[in-house]
DNA sequence: TTGATTGCAAAGCATTTGCATGCTA
DNA sequence: TAGCATGCAAATGCTTTGCAATCAA
């Protein structure tokens, strides 16, 4: 950590290094898209990023955003994530340790988690099949805490009968 | 197991039961699609199934296949799988124990595997976050045994140098 | 200058939807 | 007969491609 305002110096260097190595060109669009991307939280759909970029410069085209996201992926700054709907999401990849996702099928919230044991076990499984893993993605679908509550409310309201005490496990 | 020729009696019963319960209708198309689906191997894209069905009855429409696959999923006979490209694949779900996938990014081969420990550990992780898992999908991407070999050949051919002994781990 | 990059529009691809017709229960 | 199911065509949603104009090196 160097300063208060996020400078993303390292990331930008990585990007420029990548550009240089490949004989590509540094353009204002690419700079802008990178900046906007770096300021976002995790799991941004390509199109969402497009809208954010639009706000800052309405002249940037959708195509450029899509292309630049691929470029960022190549550069190791972003990582493609498929959450299960059709879309492609991107998350930060530079200096971000690997993690997996729990996705609430009710509200769509995405919880990130990491387990070294899980990782190790997966590698062991791959080994067993002489499979050489490059990366993996684990998605656990289900209900987040909040939505389990709601579910319960609905259920008890629907069943109508015994007004039993509901174990409320509030969060936040 | 009852007979030599696959009758899929149980599956068909499940399907008809589902149809009945929901007040839906048994149609020749649905019967045909179910039959073709049951005869396939794992991981069939919706469109592939469409072509297989077409062979048997060119009058069946794409839409019906898509709709029926969803119906089979509802009935618990099929399960949607997303392998990472845009498509939706389906695999048998009735009487098929759960498993995960290793996908070769080179040749596309899909290896199924299962590990009770992995499952347990995932549940434990979910628990930690008060997350109620309904299902999950674990995809390990990498190189299958065969493609690792090819890779090695290319590499050694490219480097050209020391003609070292290559450890050949042939399968099949 | 040169060729990478852009942005528009059009194309692609898998999937979904509207709707008139058909068919099951 | 009632209304679910079908199949066509059109629509959708996300992403990619073609291409002439633009711009960085």
């Amino acid at each position: 950590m160097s300063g208060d305002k996020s400078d993303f110096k390292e990331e930008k260097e990585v990007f420029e290094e990548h550009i240089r190595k490949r004989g590509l060109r540094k353009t204002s669009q690419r700079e802008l898209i990178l900046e906007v991307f770096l300021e976002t939280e995790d799991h941004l759909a390509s199109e969402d990023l497009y809208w954010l970029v639009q706000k800052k410069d309405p002249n940037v085209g959708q195509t450029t955003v899509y292309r630049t996201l691929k470029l960022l992926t190549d550069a190791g700054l972003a990582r493609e994530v498929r959450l299960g709907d059709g879309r492609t999401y991107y998350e930060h990849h530079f200096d971000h340790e690997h993690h997996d996702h729990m996705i609430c099928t009710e509200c769509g919230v995405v919880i990130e988690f990491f387990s070294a044991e899980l990782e190790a076990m997966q590698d062991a499984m791959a080994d067993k099949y002489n499979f050489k893993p490059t990366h993996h993605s684990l998605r656990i679908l289900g209900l987040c805490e909040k939505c389990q509550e709601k579910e319960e409310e609905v259920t008890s309201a629907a069943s109508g009968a015994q007004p039993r005490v509901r174990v409320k496990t509030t969060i936040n």
Side-chain angles (χ1 to χ4, degrees), chain A residues 1-5 7 10 95:
Chain A
M1 292 138 210
S2 31
D4 248 359
K5 43 172 169 180
D7 43 19
E10 284 186 274
D95 243 16

Side-chain angles (χ1 to χ4, degrees), chain A residues 16-161:
Chain A
E16 291 180 18
E17 173 67 15
H18 182 78
I19 292 272
R20 207 175 308 126
K21 260 195 225 155
R22 303 257 184 135
L24 305 176
R25 283 164 197 185
K26 204 174 137 188
T27 68
S28 62
Q29 290 94 329
R30 285 178 175 171
E31 276 181 278
L32 175 61
I33 294 169
L34 171 59
E35 224 153 76
V36 174
F37 172 69
L38 290 173
E39 285 167 1
T40 61
E41 297 300 314
D42 259 334
H43 313 124
L44 203 73
S46 318
E47 237 193 312
D48 298 335
L49 187 61
Y50 168 59
W51 290 115
L52 292 178
V53 170
Q54 277 281 307
K55 274 194 218 159
K56 300 219 175 186
D57 181 353
N59 297 317
V60 178
Q62 183 125 304
T63 317
T64 306
V65 175
Y66 274 91
R67 285 192 277 228
T68 304
L69 278 170
K70 287 206 185 303
L71 185 59
L72 295 183
T73 304
D74 284 347
L77 291 167
R79 195 166 77 92
E80 282 191 3
V81 192
R82 308 266 183 168
L83 294 181
D85 55 354
R87 281 174 271 213
T88 306
Y89 294 81
Y90 288 87
E91 59 182 23
H92 299 172
H93 192 43
F94 179 75
D95 243 16
H96 281 243
E97 72 277 337
H98 167 72
H99 57 254
D100 292 309
H101 300 124
M102 298 187 210
I103 305 165
C104 179
T105 49
E106 197 57 32
C107 70
V109 71
V110 177
I111 301 168
E112 297 181 355
F113 70 93
F114 176 80
S115 157
E117 291 153 300
L118 261 175
E119 305 290 315
M121 200 160 284
Q122 284 172 36
D123 287 344
M125 278 310 287
D127 224 58
K128 208 162 163 179
Y129 287 87
N130 293 313
F131 192 87
K132 188 177 157 193
T134 53
H135 42 280
H136 69 259
S137 93
L138 168 59
R139 295 185 336 234
I140 302 182
L141 303 178
L143 293 178
C144 71
E145 195 162 15
K146 277 186 183 171
C147 289
Q148 285 172 56
E149 279 176 46
K150 283 180 213 150
E151 192 89 338
E152 228 175 296
E153 279 167 31
V154 172
T155 308
S156 49
S159 66

